[in-house]
Amino acid sequence: MTGPAARPLYVLRSPGDLAAVVRQLAADGWAVRTGLAVPDEPWDLTPTRTVVTGPVADEGAVAGAVLAAARGAGVVAVADAESPTGQALL
């Protein structure tokens, strides 16, 4: 994977799926961070190949995931895609 278009953006149904995806991303050279928070600097995270991971169960987590993606990070979220929160994330 190369370039900003290739950054990972996943919504997974179970935490069990998360481990396999994170393992593969780390093997591919991504800097995997547990949690959806991103560092204050740099603003553009694209060159850092950062991926944030975690559960999305409320509006605050949705906002964190969207902010991370807007700043160029990859996102691997665990959410019930059928729930209102999951729908907001998608």
Side-chain angles (χ1 to χ4, degrees):
M1 287 190 231
T2 60
R7 74 189 150 138
L9 298 170
Y10 294 94
V11 177
L12 307 173
R13 291 186 180 263
S14 77
D17 297 334
L18 180 64
V21 172
V22 165
R23 228 179 354 266
Q24 184 60 52
L25 291 172
D28 290 343
W30 290 89
V32 179
R33 296 174 58 100
T34 301
L36 299 171
V38 290
D40 290 337
E41 297 292 330
W43 177 259
D44 182 6
L45 295 170
T46 305
T48 67
R49 292 180 51 95
T50 297
V51 174
V52 297
T53 67
V56 176
D58 59 33
E59 291 178 11
V62 171
V66 170
L67 176 61
R71 291 184 52 196
V75 176
V76 182
V78 178
D80 175 4
E82 312 300 314
S83 72
T85 303
Q87 287 293 303
L89 179 62
L90 292 173

